[in-house]
Amino acid sequence: MILTRWRNMTTQERRDAKTGYLALSPWMVGFAVFFAFPILATFYFSLTQWTLVDPPVWVGLANYARMFTRDPLFLSSLKATTLFVVLSLPLKLVLGLMLALLLNLKIPGMNVFRTVFFIPAVISGVAVSLMWIWFLNPDTGVVNTLLHYVGVQGPYWFWDKDWALPSVAIMSIWKVGGAAIIYLAGLQNIPAHLYEAAEIDGAGKWRRFWRITLPLLTPTLFFQLIIELIDAFKIFTEAFVITKGGPLKATYFFLYYFYEEAFRNFNMGYASALALFLLVVIMGCTVLVYRTSGRWVYYEN
Amino acid sequence: MKHLIGRRALVLVSLLLLLLGSVGGAGAQDPVTITWWTLASAESPEPAIRAVVEAFEAEHPNIKVDVTIMAESAYGDLMNTTIGAGEGAPDIAYFWETPWLPHTLDITDRLEADPDLSRDDYFEEYFNNWAVYNGRVVGLPFTVGANFVMYNKDVFDEAGVDYPTADWTPWEYIEIATALTDPDKRRWGGDRPRGPFRAIWRNIGATKPYSDDSATVEGYINGPDAVAAYTWLWDLVDSGATPTPADIEVLGTEGTGPVDLFIAGRLGMATLNNGHMITAANAGVNFGVVPEPHVPDNERFVHAWALRASIWAGTEHPDEAYEFLSFWAGPEGQRINMEIGALMPSLPAVLEDYPDAEADYFQGFMGVLNATQTAEWRATHPCWRGAVIRAVSDAWDLIMLGEIERDEVQATLDAMVEPGQAALDECVPRLGG
Amino acid sequence: MRTDAAAQLKRSNNWRRAKKLIGYAIVYAFMVCLACVFMLPIFWMASTSLKLPQDIFAWPPEWLPSTPQWDNYAEAFSKYPLARYMLNSAILVVANIIGALFSVPIIAYGFARFDFPFKNALFLLMLSTMMVPGHIKLIPLFWLYSRLDMIDTYWPLILPAYFGNPFFIFLMTQFIRTIPRELDDAARIDGAGAWGILYRVIIPLSRPALTVIVVFTFLWVWNDFLEPIIFLRDWDSYPISVGLAFFQGRYSVEWHLFMGATLVSIIPILVVYFFAQRHLIGGLASIGIKG
């Protein structure tokens, strides 16, 4: 099939294709070594029962059968993860863009603000988690103390079955400064002359945003959408450090389940099947977004 | 072609090197290098680890110890990775997960033949529960750990409440905690257990979440004693005398209790361990130590543990590895750690010389050490931590969150039979029980 | 007439300036409030790092310690070789940045500018590498690096960067796609080949994206904890992320030391970012070419 396609191409097209493949070659090598091998190994493990300690025992599709027919934890982790994606993804996309637009204002001292808003993205793991446990502590935390002053009894946040998931979402939104930087870079490739022309035509700020900024930012938006989608599905650290998946499985995210199965329950075969399932789910969502992108993403050509 | 000469030279050189290498090997002068992974902590800090290596190498010039000191947070991941990959595991390390145990070297005979060390040198229960697995000696217990209740004397004095004594009951614990609680100061009387089937469960009479043969949870997870223990937990939560998990789980790491809140004077009593005890003593807290409450007619249990120091079954130098293991986890190594760090040795003869041995709290701790351990099934049952506790955690969460009524405890536990049984049935054939 | 017009112009200029100032004031006020919220953790970490351990969890909380314990910082840095660890991290960061800057533009250029069979499939395949949990790859990769005799070296932490990080490739691809092809054509007319266009047109115009790559590489490598733990063995070779983890003991965390050390450890990232961000601004927005 590839051969017939290749024969039907013009010389120029063939030269282009060769250059393209050549440009991709470093990634292809890296893919083969660092990715294809581990993923094939994972696929093999998913067809076995493997305690990590003893050699894997072939069980065929038993892990997948169990996953789809009789595993309540699989369902609750899928539910928690989906809820998290639905909750955090739109918020992160919109707030990140808003922050980037603010930081893109050409006013003096903006570089200080840009640094300040980047800080949450800089501090890693444990320090951030502790900060948030303290921040959202029901009795002594800053948020509930402030709420107390205005006469509201704040929730238990991470330890409330209804608030735990939103709390984790808030925490991830706080790191939006990292995403804002990427929007900021995207904003730089909108040619200034387009704005000038629009201003001459008397277009107001809103109009300019909807007519110029947003359409020309769609490649970046598309990037953010897919990256945040993948990221949201892979939520793990917060559950691992703070909530331990609780309470009542409210934050029992898919990757946390995977981790517990693999490294605490020593069920690497089943965990591998879970990991591959997640890969397929994210891949499905990505392909969906990718398919629609032709309709709303505006490229320069 | 022109490469030919180069290739011939290469072959010659490598042959020469090979010859040299074999001659060097025949001399047997080269010391054997063994690899050792360990963790830096307050009990066993980096200088103490270095001192152990130095002292050992001075005594054994023919053995070199290549030590890797690592942070605890990812130690389990690393061990799982190397064991799973089938290579790269160290000769000596902590093998604290039960499923790792098949990969440890059986040292029963070596220990018996050892003129300098015997299993009788260790605290008996710690040795039996943590170093023996399926009848074979799989390691040596390094340090001892135990849970007990630490009480802040200043908080008791301020509230005018008598100090607790060793014969207190779980229900008295709730009463005392309630008397100490002062919401205005954000101060609670006591804390909550950090998991079911620890000391208080056993003291109330709930032995195990499943039967001896690991076949069934019915009648165990929801038996009358378990219901009594979970009901006690319900009462404790209901009393309002304890902080919520949100206040306690500062990091959520297993084993780390509310020591920070205790030191800050915001907890009248807390179930902590000897590591915390040293932290609190260093911070100048005026505190005492009592065993966890128990029911007068029942046997007294203590939630205790040791770190299992073992030799990897795949080691190429079992003799040298044993030499080092018996030094590090024997009297010499544990003494060095006790003197440079704050380790509590698992050998009574060494622990006697503890620098703070005269202190009240230390005496209290010694009293706790000798109770029966809850560990005898927990230490080595591979399905408790990973599978069953997770399956039945909803009951725990419902009580901790105050979501159910007191008379619903039985029904809630009954509902755990199905998921608990499913987890057990999945896990036991795989990991054993 | 003339003065009238001038006065009117001046008045409207004044009005415009006043409007601009009011706008500034509103924006600043908003930004400052928001910044305070974002800075709160830093403030709290700084305050914690200067406290005595027993005061950290006291109620009511002390916002500023009455007697700041500056010695905490000295203690943290004498307890573990943190300066050395930061240097190690810096070495890893530089090696990774070089790798990323070397590989990512070429690969992204291939995706963005050339058509070839299976391009979309390959692109999705590339994205899929981001969808797999890192933990699942540990065992196969450890096995691989072990075979290559790379355990206890920096290679496992550096090598992958030279084959292109999918996140950056995707980012760069999207960025290149917004650069008008007319610019390529103009360069081609001037005699530039495919690679000439990359180096003369694409890379100079991609400064914002390349800056993002530098900053994020810095950030990720600096904070990466799991991989160094898995692949390094030597006490002196650890990066700062591992050094910080030493403050979390088995039974308690030395919060006062941990917070201080964390604070010091993020300074290099912030400094780099502060100076790098001026390159975030630029690209097509700064040159008035026609699209």
Side-chain angles (χ1 to χ4, degrees), chain B residues 271-314:
Chain B
T271 310
L272 297 171
N273 62 46
N274 38 310
H276 298 134
M277 184 170 84
I278 294 163
T279 313
N282 290 340
V285 182
N286 179 20
F287 69 94
V289 167
V290 278
E292 290 192 61
H294 87 302
V295 179
D297 294 334
N298 293 356
E299 191 183 356
R300 179 189 290 285
F301 285 89
V302 60
H303 185 78
W305 60 91
L307 286 172
R308 193 185 293 117
S310 304
I311 300 171
W312 181 42

Side-chain angles (χ1 to χ4, degrees), chain A residues 72-125:
Chain A
L73 283 176
F74 169 73
L75 291 177
S76 32
S77 65
L78 207 56
K79 189 180 139 206
T81 312
T82 311
L83 269 175
F84 177 78
V85 172
V86 171
L87 198 64
S88 71
L89 185 63
L91 278 172
K92 251 191 132 170
L93 283 174
V94 173
L95 294 176
L97 179 58
M98 281 165 66
L99 185 61
L101 290 171
L102 267 177
L103 294 176
N104 199 34
L105 293 174
K106 306 279 184 296
I107 57 175
M110 197 46 92
N111 43 3
V112 175
F113 286 116
R114 279 191 209 118
T115 310
V116 166
F117 290 114
F118 185 53
I119 286 174
V122 168
I123 313 168
S124 72

Side-chain angles (χ1 to χ4, degrees), chain C residues 59-79:
Chain C
W59 179 266
E62 263 190 319
W63 286 92
L64 280 172
S66 42
T67 42
Q69 306 291 315
W70 295 102
D71 287 352
N72 286 351
Y73 282 84
E75 195 186 336
F77 273 77
S78 67
K79 211 161 183 172

Side-chain angles (χ1 to χ4, degrees), chain C residues 126-204:
Chain C
M126 183 202 65
L127 292 183
S128 74
T129 56
M130 283 188 286
M131 302 170 192
V132 181
H135 278 104
I136 197 85
K137 291 183 284 187
L138 282 185
I139 291 173
L141 281 184
F142 183 87
W143 183 87
L144 181 74
Y145 286 124
S146 184
R147 287 296 144 97
L148 296 173
D149 215 10
M150 286 181 180
I151 302 301
D152 201 16
T153 71
Y154 281 159
W155 287 116
L157 309 176
I158 292 175
L159 217 50
Y162 286 79
F163 297 99
N165 171 316
F167 179 92
F168 294 143
I169 296 173
F170 187 15
L171 175 80
M172 191 79 189
T173 304
Q174 293 304 93
F175 206 83
I176 295 175
R177 279 174 172 169
T178 64
I179 297 174
R181 287 212 182 205
E182 286 86 342
L183 296 177
D184 297 24
D185 296 338
R188 197 167 290 126
I189 290 164
D190 288 349
W195 305 112
I197 292 170
L198 173 64
Y199 289 103
R200 278 197 255 152
V201 180
I202 307 289
I203 288 183

Side-chain angles (χ1 to χ4, degrees), chain A residues 49-54 66 73 126 130 133 137-140 156 159-161 241-242 244 246-249 252 257 259-261 263-267, chain B residues 77 80-81 83-84 97 99-100 102-103 186 188 244-247 249-253 266 385-387 390 393-394 397-398 401 403 426-427 430-431:
Chain A
Q49 184 191 84
W50 188 29
T51 59
L52 282 181
V53 181
D54 304 313
R66 179 185 156 207
L73 283 176
V126 178
L130 176 85
I133 292 172
N137 182 293
D139 288 294
T140 57
Y156 270 40
W159 270 267
D160 183 306
K161 66 179 168 48
V241 177
I242 303 177
K244 298 280 167 221
L248 291 172
K249 308 278 187 293
Y252 203 72
Y257 182 35
Y259 180 86
E260 279 207 331
E261 275 306 292
F263 289 151
R264 290 228 204 288
N265 199 19
F266 295 90
N267 204 356
Chain B
D77 292 353
N80 282 322
T81 302
I83 289 175
E97 294 278 7
W100 297 343
H103 276 243
R186 296 291 198 277
W188 297 278
T244 63
D247 294 290
E249 300 274 328
V250 172
L251 244 188
T253 46
R266 290 175 52 197
R385 245 189 70 172
R390 177 177 66 187
S393 70
D394 277 3
D397 285 357
L398 285 168
L401 293 169
E403 291 279 326
E426 186 280 319
C427 180
R430 199 160 41 79
L431 297 177

Side-chain angles (χ1 to χ4, degrees), chain C residues 196-241:
Chain C
I197 292 170
L198 173 64
Y199 289 103
R200 278 197 255 152
V201 180
I202 307 289
I203 288 183
L205 283 176
S206 302
R207 245 182 17 188
L210 294 172
T211 310
V212 170
I213 291 175
V214 168
V215 169
F216 274 66
T217 305
F218 199 121
L219 188 61
W220 288 339
V221 174
W222 199 265
N223 283 338
D224 184 22
F225 171 70
L226 185 63
E227 295 207 340
I229 276 280
I230 300 290
F231 296 122
L232 297 180
R233 297 288 176 270
D234 185 23
W235 178 255
D236 292 320
S237 71
Y238 289 143
I240 185 67
S241 52

